[in-house]
Short mmCIF file of all heavy atoms in Angstrom, two decimals:
data_model
loop_
_atom_site.label_atom_id
_atom_site.label_comp_id
_atom_site.label_asym_id
_atom_site.label_seq_id
_atom_site.Cartn_x
_atom_site.Cartn_y
_atom_site.Cartn_z
N ALA A 1225 0.15 2.88 10.91
CA ALA A 1225 0.50 4.11 10.18
C ALA A 1225 1.69 3.85 9.27
O ALA A 1225 1.71 4.29 8.11
CB ALA A 1225 0.80 5.23 11.18
N ALA A 1226 2.69 3.11 9.76
CA ALA A 1226 3.83 2.76 8.91
C ALA A 1226 3.40 1.81 7.80
O ALA A 1226 3.87 1.91 6.66
CB ALA A 1226 4.94 2.13 9.75
N GLY A 1227 2.49 0.87 8.12
CA GLY A 1227 1.99 -0.03 7.08
C GLY A 1227 1.34 0.74 5.96
O GLY A 1227 1.54 0.44 4.77
N LYS A 1228 0.57 1.77 6.31
CA LYS A 1228 -0.06 2.61 5.29
C LYS A 1228 0.99 3.33 4.44
O LYS A 1228 0.88 3.38 3.21
CB LYS A 1228 -0.98 3.63 5.97
CG LYS A 1228 -1.61 4.62 5.02
CD LYS A 1228 -2.40 5.68 5.78
CE LYS A 1228 -2.92 6.77 4.85
NZ LYS A 1228 -3.62 7.84 5.60
N ARG A 1229 2.01 3.88 5.09
CA ARG A 1229 3.05 4.60 4.34
C ARG A 1229 3.76 3.67 3.35
O ARG A 1229 3.98 4.04 2.19
CB ARG A 1229 4.06 5.22 5.30
CG ARG A 1229 3.52 6.39 6.10
CD ARG A 1229 4.63 7.17 6.76
NE ARG A 1229 5.36 6.38 7.74
CZ ARG A 1229 5.01 6.28 9.03
NH1 ARG A 1229 3.93 6.89 9.48
NH2 ARG A 1229 5.75 5.55 9.85
N TRP A 1230 4.12 2.48 3.80
CA TRP A 1230 4.77 1.54 2.90
C TRP A 1230 3.84 1.12 1.77
O TRP A 1230 4.26 0.99 0.61
CB TRP A 1230 5.25 0.30 3.66
CG TRP A 1230 6.49 0.52 4.46
CD1 TRP A 1230 6.61 0.52 5.82
CD2 TRP A 1230 7.81 0.76 3.95
NE1 TRP A 1230 7.91 0.76 6.20
CE2 TRP A 1230 8.67 0.89 5.07
CE3 TRP A 1230 8.35 0.88 2.68
CZ2 TRP A 1230 10.04 1.13 4.94
CZ3 TRP A 1230 9.71 1.13 2.53
CH2 TRP A 1230 10.54 1.25 3.65
N GLY A 1231 2.58 0.91 2.09
CA GLY A 1231 1.62 0.56 1.05
C GLY A 1231 1.47 1.65 0.00
O GLY A 1231 1.39 1.36 -1.20
N GLU A 1232 1.44 2.88 0.44
CA GLU A 1232 1.32 3.99 -0.50
C GLU A 1232 2.56 4.11 -1.38
O GLU A 1232 2.46 4.41 -2.59
CB GLU A 1232 1.06 5.28 0.26
CG GLU A 1232 -0.34 5.35 0.87
CD GLU A 1232 -0.54 6.54 1.77
OE1 GLU A 1232 0.49 7.09 2.26
OE2 GLU A 1232 -1.70 6.92 2.03
N GLN A 1233 3.74 3.88 -0.81
CA GLN A 1233 4.96 3.92 -1.62
C GLN A 1233 4.95 2.80 -2.66
O GLN A 1233 5.34 3.02 -3.82
CB GLN A 1233 6.20 3.78 -0.72
CG GLN A 1233 6.47 4.99 0.16
CD GLN A 1233 7.73 4.80 0.99
OE1 GLN A 1233 8.82 4.55 0.46
NE2 GLN A 1233 7.58 4.91 2.31
N ALA A 1234 4.52 1.62 -2.25
CA ALA A 1234 4.46 0.50 -3.19
C ALA A 1234 3.43 0.76 -4.28
O ALA A 1234 3.65 0.44 -5.46
CB ALA A 1234 4.14 -0.79 -2.45
N ARG A 1235 2.30 1.35 -3.91
CA ARG A 1235 1.26 1.65 -4.90
C ARG A 1235 1.76 2.62 -5.95
O ARG A 1235 1.41 2.50 -7.14
CB ARG A 1235 0.03 2.21 -4.20
CG ARG A 1235 -1.12 2.55 -5.16
CD ARG A 1235 -2.34 3.01 -4.42
NE ARG A 1235 -2.07 4.19 -3.60
CZ ARG A 1235 -2.94 4.73 -2.75
NH1 ARG A 1235 -4.14 4.16 -2.58
NH2 ARG A 1235 -2.63 5.79 -2.04
N ALA A 1236 2.58 3.59 -5.56
CA ALA A 1236 3.12 4.55 -6.53
C ALA A 1236 3.96 3.84 -7.59
O ALA A 1236 4.03 4.30 -8.74
CB ALA A 1236 3.95 5.61 -5.80
N LEU A 1237 4.60 2.72 -7.20
CA LEU A 1237 5.44 1.98 -8.14
C LEU A 1237 4.68 0.90 -8.89
O LEU A 1237 4.94 0.63 -10.06
CB LEU A 1237 6.60 1.33 -7.38
CG LEU A 1237 7.63 2.27 -6.75
CD1 LEU A 1237 8.59 1.48 -5.88
CD2 LEU A 1237 8.40 3.04 -7.82
N GLN A 1238 3.74 0.25 -8.21
CA GLN A 1238 3.03 -0.89 -8.79
C GLN A 1238 1.53 -0.76 -8.53
O GLN A 1238 0.94 -1.54 -7.76
CB GLN A 1238 3.55 -2.20 -8.17
CG GLN A 1238 4.97 -2.54 -8.53
CD GLN A 1238 5.07 -3.19 -9.91
OE1 GLN A 1238 4.06 -3.41 -10.56
NE2 GLN A 1238 6.28 -3.49 -10.34
N PRO A 1239 0.87 0.21 -9.17
CA PRO A 1239 -0.55 0.43 -8.89
C PRO A 1239 -1.46 -0.69 -9.37
O PRO A 1239 -2.63 -0.73 -9.00
CB PRO A 1239 -0.85 1.73 -9.63
CG PRO A 1239 0.18 1.80 -10.72
CD PRO A 1239 1.41 1.19 -10.14
N SER A 1240 -0.94 -1.60 -10.18
CA SER A 1240 -1.76 -2.71 -10.68
C SER A 1240 -1.45 -4.02 -9.97
O SER A 1240 -1.81 -5.10 -10.46
CB SER A 1240 -1.54 -2.88 -12.19
OG SER A 1240 -1.95 -1.73 -12.88
N THR A 1241 -0.81 -3.95 -8.81
CA THR A 1241 -0.44 -5.14 -8.06
C THR A 1241 -1.39 -5.32 -6.89
O THR A 1241 -1.51 -4.43 -6.03
CB THR A 1241 1.01 -5.02 -7.54
OG1 THR A 1241 1.88 -4.91 -8.68
CG2 THR A 1241 1.40 -6.24 -6.73
N ALA A 1242 -2.05 -6.43 -6.82
CA ALA A 1242 -3.09 -6.65 -5.81
C ALA A 1242 -2.54 -6.58 -4.40
O ALA A 1242 -3.22 -6.07 -3.49
CB ALA A 1242 -3.76 -8.00 -6.05
N GLU A 1243 -1.32 -7.08 -4.17
CA GLU A 1243 -0.76 -7.13 -2.82
C GLU A 1243 -0.64 -5.75 -2.19
O GLU A 1243 -0.73 -5.60 -0.97
CB GLU A 1243 0.60 -7.81 -2.85
CG GLU A 1243 0.55 -9.31 -3.11
CD GLU A 1243 0.33 -9.64 -4.58
OE1 GLU A 1243 0.49 -8.75 -5.43
OE2 GLU A 1243 -0.02 -10.80 -4.87
N VAL A 1244 -0.43 -4.73 -3.03
CA VAL A 1244 -0.38 -3.35 -2.53
C VAL A 1244 -1.66 -3.03 -1.78
O VAL A 1244 -1.64 -2.46 -0.67
CB VAL A 1244 -0.18 -2.37 -3.70
CG1 VAL A 1244 -0.46 -0.93 -3.27
CG2 VAL A 1244 1.23 -2.49 -4.27
N TYR A 1245 -2.76 -3.38 -2.37
CA TYR A 1245 -4.06 -3.02 -1.80
C TYR A 1245 -4.40 -3.89 -0.59
O TYR A 1245 -5.16 -3.46 0.29
CB TYR A 1245 -5.13 -3.09 -2.88
CG TYR A 1245 -4.83 -2.13 -4.00
CD1 TYR A 1245 -4.32 -2.58 -5.22
CD2 TYR A 1245 -4.97 -0.76 -3.82
CE1 TYR A 1245 -3.99 -1.69 -6.23
CE2 TYR A 1245 -4.65 0.13 -4.83
CZ TYR A 1245 -4.16 -0.34 -6.03
OH TYR A 1245 -3.82 0.55 -7.03
N GLY A 1246 -3.80 -5.08 -0.52
CA GLY A 1246 -3.96 -5.88 0.69
C GLY A 1246 -3.33 -5.21 1.89
O GLY A 1246 -3.92 -5.14 2.97
N VAL A 1247 -2.11 -4.70 1.71
CA VAL A 1247 -1.44 -3.96 2.79
C VAL A 1247 -2.26 -2.75 3.19
O VAL A 1247 -2.48 -2.48 4.38
CB VAL A 1247 -0.02 -3.55 2.36
CG1 VAL A 1247 0.59 -2.58 3.38
CG2 VAL A 1247 0.87 -4.78 2.21
N LEU A 1248 -2.72 -1.99 2.20
CA LEU A 1248 -3.48 -0.78 2.49
C LEU A 1248 -4.82 -1.10 3.16
O LEU A 1248 -5.23 -0.41 4.10
CB LEU A 1248 -3.70 0.02 1.21
CG LEU A 1248 -2.47 0.74 0.67
CD1 LEU A 1248 -2.75 1.31 -0.72
CD2 LEU A 1248 -2.03 1.86 1.62
N ALA A 1249 -5.50 -2.12 2.69
CA ALA A 1249 -6.78 -2.48 3.30
C ALA A 1249 -6.59 -2.84 4.77
O ALA A 1249 -7.38 -2.42 5.64
CB ALA A 1249 -7.41 -3.65 2.55
N ASP A 1250 -5.54 -3.61 5.07
CA ASP A 1250 -5.30 -4.01 6.46
C ASP A 1250 -4.99 -2.82 7.34
O ASP A 1250 -5.52 -2.68 8.45
CB ASP A 1250 -4.16 -5.02 6.51
CG ASP A 1250 -4.49 -6.33 5.82
OD1 ASP A 1250 -5.68 -6.57 5.53
OD2 ASP A 1250 -3.56 -7.10 5.56
N SER A 1251 -4.11 -1.95 6.88
CA SER A 1251 -3.72 -0.80 7.71
C SER A 1251 -4.86 0.20 7.85
O SER A 1251 -5.13 0.70 8.95
CB SER A 1251 -2.47 -0.12 7.13
OG SER A 1251 -2.67 0.31 5.81
N LEU A 1252 -5.57 0.49 6.77
CA LEU A 1252 -6.65 1.48 6.83
C LEU A 1252 -7.81 0.99 7.69
O LEU A 1252 -8.44 1.78 8.40
CB LEU A 1252 -7.12 1.82 5.42
CG LEU A 1252 -6.10 2.59 4.57
CD1 LEU A 1252 -6.56 2.68 3.12
CD2 LEU A 1252 -5.83 3.97 5.13
N THR A 1253 -8.09 -0.30 7.65
CA THR A 1253 -9.13 -0.85 8.52
C THR A 1253 -8.79 -0.59 9.98
O THR A 1253 -9.62 -0.13 10.77
CB THR A 1253 -9.29 -2.36 8.29
OG1 THR A 1253 -9.75 -2.59 6.96
CG2 THR A 1253 -10.29 -2.97 9.27
#
């Protein structure tokens, strides 16, 4: 849940950065 929150905060700043979606994919899975 914390991983998702951090991923979402990073996505708001860097939506074109692949690593953001790696964090989100891992946490959401």
Side-chain angles (χ1 to χ4, degrees):
K1228 176 186 174 183
R1229 290 194 296 272
W1230 283 112
E1232 288 173 339
Q1233 290 182 56
R1235 180 176 58 187
L1237 294 172
Q1238 292 279 358
S1240 298
T1241 299
E1243 289 78 15
V1244 166
Y1245 299 104
V1247 170
L1248 287 171
D1250 294 346
S1251 58
L1252 292 170
T1253 296

